[in-house]
Amino acid sequence: MKKMGSRRLLIIHALLAVLLTMPGLTAGITRRYKFNVRMATFTRLCQTKSIPTVNGQFPGPKIVVREGDRLMVDVHNGIHTNVTFHWHGVRQLRSGWADGPAYITQCPIRPGQSFVYSFRVVGQRGTLWWHAHFSWLRATLYGALVVLPPRGVAYPFPKPYREVPILLGEWFLAADTEATVREVLRTGGDPALATAYAFNGLPGPTYRCSANSGTFKLKVRPGKTYMLRLINAALNDERFFAVANHTLTVVQADANYVKPFDATTIFLSPGQTMDVLLTAATNPSASAFAIAAAIYTNVVGPFDNCTGHAILEYSHSPSPSPWNVRKRLRLRAPSFPMFNDSAWVANFAAKLRSLAGATTVGLPQTVDRHFFFTVGLGADPCQSPVNGTCLGPNNTRMAASINNVSFVMPKTTSLLQQHYERRRYRPTDFPAAPLRFFNFTGTPPENTFVTHGTGGVSLDFNTTVEVVLQGTSVQGAGSHPMHLHGHDFHVVGQGFGNYDADKDTINYNLVDPVKLNTVRVPVAGWVAIRFVADNPGVWMMHCHFEIHMSWGLAMVWLVNDGPLPNQKLPPPPSDMPKCS
């Protein structure tokens, strides 16, 4: 890989990037898209089924904007169920009405109705994505959201020859995902596994009936550099990603530039995005190489320990036959870490460092409010048993929680509407720390039952916040990709075991911590994040494993208005959907 340029050049680019992301300094244009949500028929793995789509596409259409642009997306709901859309990672500065999580910032768009999402993209550039935020509809309702720099502003690395979104998703063959989540909530057990891993909606040559038309192929020219815009759109799977015999250079994560580093394997949790550069060989040793994704997991329970494939194909060679593709992919498939190698994953995460220094990216050096949140699984008593039993551990129902509070979704109006209309949504009872301390990553307590509530924390405008997210071993230790709406945050520390403030704060990175919107809480470990509550509204923070959010692993931050006019939440748009 060619060098990225001198240190001075990188610093200059970083300073320019920060200056140009300040509100008011970039004047963009308005870009309009139409989303027609409708059922469409697709054939995968020898069978045909109808799925919810946007404009009949799977994945949905790519949205492209420049930093500073206003985006207007006119959504018409033509399916039989409610729907909303979330613009994952977009800061939504003073545009919380367009954020999208159902019953948090809006009531759903009901069948036959429409709503226009309108917001500016400010202070961000790189790869984000959009997806449905109602029930499990994001299984098929998702797509890339590419934020380019303002015109005349270059990348802080050599311009790639071509940019290619690669969305890592799934295909469910036996039943639609809405039936899956209904069954999960009915029985209290685990969800059914996806039938296949998919690259841009295609399962790949190792699955039946997919060797030819069912395989994503990336054609490259020798010696050219490509930017792969990676998005993990899977519902419940963390993924390793690699291209056989090729090195990848990581340059962005969650639409924030990072110090470039080389890797042969990339790791992404659901919700995370990463931009990597791939330089095609001048004299490749073969005409085709495997692009592959494999699962990472460390939980006790069923999982699909297989590897999905796409193809990197050099343009100077004819396309090989499907049989030859399978044979050659076996010979040149990349090697991955073990499926449960938590140390490897932690080491990869530690390599992510912000390109700009702390003084230019707004890292809080002092903290107004500290929070310690335990995140993990738990249980509910068995109510309304199925055939006399529930399918969770010891005849219970599976649950999930933050500080043992399992989130209850409102059903009559959105929390943001309640807050705006001063209808008494004033969260004050959510615990800032666990009510009971124990060995969080050791032997769990005998009582694993959770409590329930629509939990949230109220913050004054411009409050600086530190949150330590501590994983637990209750019902088995696992990782949790935590996504914060309405804000980016800095990852200042992470580690295994139980967090120790006296020891662990000494090793905080307050110089160049990576800036993200989705961070993974390690298996039997913790992560510390900091952010500034500078965006008035109601903002969800939740695990991006869809099953964990369905079980209640979520809470909200209510950020109050500031004193100035440009620090206040504006009124809702006139076409805001009604709950009833």
Side-chain angles (χ1 to χ4, degrees), residues 84-235:
T84 68
F85 285 97
H86 172 53
W87 319 95
H88 187 110
V90 174
R91 284 289 316 275
Q92 297 291 359
L93 290 169
R94 298 182 66 241
S95 55
W97 302 105
D99 191 46
Y103 300 107
I104 305 299
T105 61
Q106 70 167 100
C107 296
I109 308 169
R110 290 181 288 173
Q113 295 188 348
S114 300
F115 176 55
V116 177
Y117 291 91
S118 177
F119 54 90
R120 283 189 71 209
V121 181
V122 179
Q124 296 172 288
R125 59 195 63 166
T127 301
L128 298 173
W129 62 304
W130 59 264
H131 60 79
H133 213 299
F134 182 87
S135 189
W136 285 24
L137 288 176
R138 76 173 178 89
T140 58
L141 295 179
Y142 64 84
L145 198 169
V146 175
V147 184
L148 299 174
R151 290 194 181 278
V153 178
Y155 295 131
F157 46 80
K159 180 178 173 59
Y161 173 73
R162 186 181 166 207
E163 302 176 10
V164 184
I166 297 182
L167 295 95
L168 306 177
E170 299 148 313
W171 183 261
F172 292 82
L173 191 61
D176 65 58
T177 52
E178 293 306 285
T180 296
V181 67
R182 285 195 297 269
E183 182 70 7
V184 165
L185 298 179
R186 185 178 75 93
T187 64
D190 290 312
L193 299 175
T195 310
Y197 298 155
F199 294 79
N200 290 348
L202 299 172
T206 55
Y207 293 102
R208 61 195 179 110
C209 307
S210 300
N212 193 8
S213 60
T215 297
F216 171 70
K217 296 179 182 180
L218 172 61
K219 293 198 173 187
V220 298
R221 294 186 177 185
K224 299 293 186 181
T225 297
Y226 296 77
M227 180 192 287
L228 308 184
R229 297 183 176 272
L230 304 178
I231 300 168
N232 187 348
L235 291 181

Side-chain angles (χ1 to χ4, degrees), residues 238-257:
E238 297 180 294
R239 302 282 177 85
F240 297 111
F241 174 90
V243 180
N245 290 34
H246 291 72
T247 298
L248 306 171
T249 301
V250 181
V251 293
Q252 295 191 85
D254 284 1
N256 288 286
Y257 294 130

Side-chain angles (χ1 to χ4, degrees), residues 86-87 89-101 104-105 119 133 373 407 415-416 419 425 427 455-459 461 483-488 531-542 554-561 568-570:
H86 172 53
W87 319 95
V90 174
R91 284 289 316 275
Q92 297 291 359
L93 290 169
R94 298 182 66 241
S95 55
W97 302 105
D99 191 46
I104 305 299
T105 61
F119 54 90
H133 213 299
F373 288 171
F407 190 77
L415 297 184
L416 186 60
H419 167 62
Y425 182 65
V457 173
S458 181
L459 298 171
F461 186 82
H483 173 51
L484 175 60
H485 291 228
H487 299 78
D488 281 346
F531 66 94
V532 181
D534 59 356
N535 195 7
V538 177
W539 307 106
M540 198 174 194
M541 185 172 76
H542 63 91
M555 54 84 66
V556 295
W557 301 94
L558 188 159
V559 180
N560 290 291
D561 287 348
K568 299 182 186 300
L569 179 70

Side-chain angles (χ1 to χ4, degrees), residues 530-551:
R530 288 185 179 182
F531 66 94
V532 181
D534 59 356
N535 195 7
V538 177
W539 307 106
M540 198 174 194
M541 185 172 76
H542 63 91
C543 182
H544 224 271
F545 287 142
E546 206 68 36
I547 182 60
H548 290 180
M549 191 169 74
S550 297
W551 285 338

